[in-house]
Amino acid sequence: MTTNAPRPEVLRYTAFSSAPDGGNPAGVVLDATALDDNDMLAIAADLGYSESAFLTAPPEGLGGQEGRAYSIRYFSPKAEVPFCGHATVATAVALAERIGPGELVFATRVGAVPVEVAEEGGTVRATLTSVEPHIEEIADADLTEALAALGWPAADLDPAFPPRIAFAGARHLVLAAATRARLADLAYDFARLEALMHRLDLTTVQLVWRESATVFHVRDPFPVGGVVEDPATGAAAAAFGAYARELGLVPEDAVLTLHQGEDLGRPGELTVMLRAGDARVRVSGAGARIS
């Protein structure tokens, strides 16, 4: 950004909650044309949110309706990330307030991500469709190191949910706690977990506890982004949906509810939709402007 260029407007929206003090806040810049990488990183660091989103013109061939297609990039306070679900939802809600609900499409570093925005009873909700997901096993030594960094004994894991690395736009290590108390007690070695996550190219660690057949509570340590914990994590929710379906833990066609942020005092709700015959995962949630 040139020294005499005006600083673009930086909006603040929360995702996965209709209340400004719930869910996960994100910075949103609707026109980042004049910004370079350092500018975007500086804005994200100044905000201090887990991620901020920056829009520019769409690439040729992206598709979508004219005026409703964009390129999007995501920055944490420390670095650029390939995909961020909550900042996508926040951006979609911000756009809907300006150009109306409907279909959007975003060109991300991992592929095209369509988003449908609708208004329901005064609440704006956005539903993103992930890129095609996959899961992979984690080496025993890496799992041992992850548990040591978290301070979790292996006996505290739920044996019905095998540890895996799941991807639906970003890589997340999925670990399931056997009890809600285990999930609630989160005090980890920041530097140790960060080092492991960099080595495995992980964005967050998706910690889950199953309340019922389709209801889960989740938490996401995010030291690689310079944040102790992400309050609501759309990319991890999509990855978890793919993980749960591929391992047969939920039906191929299912709607899952993920509660996140309760232990941080920022409660949010993520809806994960799985459709038989479609490998992609849909993640839906409300959004609201932060005044």
Side-chain angles (χ1 to χ4, degrees):
M1 185 168 63
T2 60
T3 55
N4 58 357
R7 178 185 172 100
E9 183 180 15
V10 181
L11 306 173
R12 294 164 174 80
Y13 277 76
T14 195
F16 302 114
S17 173
S18 58
D21 58 353
N24 196 355
V28 178
V29 177
L30 295 179
D31 184 2
T33 306
L35 303 180
D36 62 21
D37 291 12
N38 290 331
D39 296 327
M40 288 185 270
L41 182 60
I43 289 171
D46 182 57
L47 283 173
Y49 296 152
S50 54
E51 278 103 359
S52 294
F54 300 85
L55 295 185
T56 54
E60 287 189 18
L62 177 62
Q65 302 172 34
E66 185 175 354
R68 302 186 69 89
Y70 304 86
S71 294
I72 188 168
R73 296 175 69 183
Y74 312 95
F75 284 79
S76 79
K78 278 192 172 183
E80 186 173 6
V81 298
F83 176 67
C84 173
H86 90 271
T88 301
V89 168
T91 301
V93 171
L95 285 169
E97 291 184 353
R98 288 154 180 81
I99 62 176
E103 296 180 359
L104 301 163
V105 61
F106 296 113
T108 78
R109 277 177 49 190
V110 296
V113 174
V115 181
E116 177 72 28
V117 190
E119 185 174 350
E120 304 171 1
T123 297
V124 180
R125 292 184 63 87
T127 302
L128 66 87
T129 300
S130 78
V131 297
E132 189 154 337
H134 62 263
I135 70 169
E136 62 189 69
E137 295 194 5
I138 180 171
D140 290 344
D142 292 333
L143 174 59
T144 298
E145 177 63 11
L147 293 175
L150 289 168
W152 283 25
D156 284 357
L157 295 177
D158 185 340
F161 288 75
R164 292 288 189 275
I165 293 171
F167 170 90
R171 287 163 56 86
H172 307 267
L173 172 59
V174 180
L175 298 174
T179 65
R180 182 67 177 89
R182 171 70 278 174
L183 185 68
D185 184 13
L186 182 61
Y188 66 91
D189 186 324
F190 190 98
R192 188 172 182 178
L193 189 60
E194 180 184 21
L196 175 68
M197 292 173 67
H198 277 302
R199 183 162 60 79
L200 298 180
D201 190 27
L202 300 175
T203 298
T204 75
V205 178
Q206 172 84 330
L207 305 174
V208 308
W209 174 72
R210 187 173 202 163
E211 177 182 313
S212 68
T214 59
V215 177
F216 298 83
H217 294 254
V218 301
R219 302 185 72 173
D220 282 79
F222 187 34
V224 295
V227 176
V228 173
E229 184 177 352
D230 205 16
T233 318
F240 175 71
Y243 157 94
R245 177 175 56 192
E246 185 164 331
L247 294 179
L249 301 167
V250 299
E252 277 191 55
D253 202 296
V255 177
L256 312 179
T257 300
L258 276 56
H259 296 286
Q260 190 174 354
E262 293 175 347
D263 298 293
L264 292 174
R266 292 194 65 93
E269 183 175 294
L270 302 87
T271 302
V272 176
M273 292 164 283
L274 307 172
R275 296 181 181 176
D278 187 348
R280 301 172 302 170
V281 180
R282 288 158 179 81
V283 177
S284 178
R289 185 162 187 172
I290 301 171
S291 58

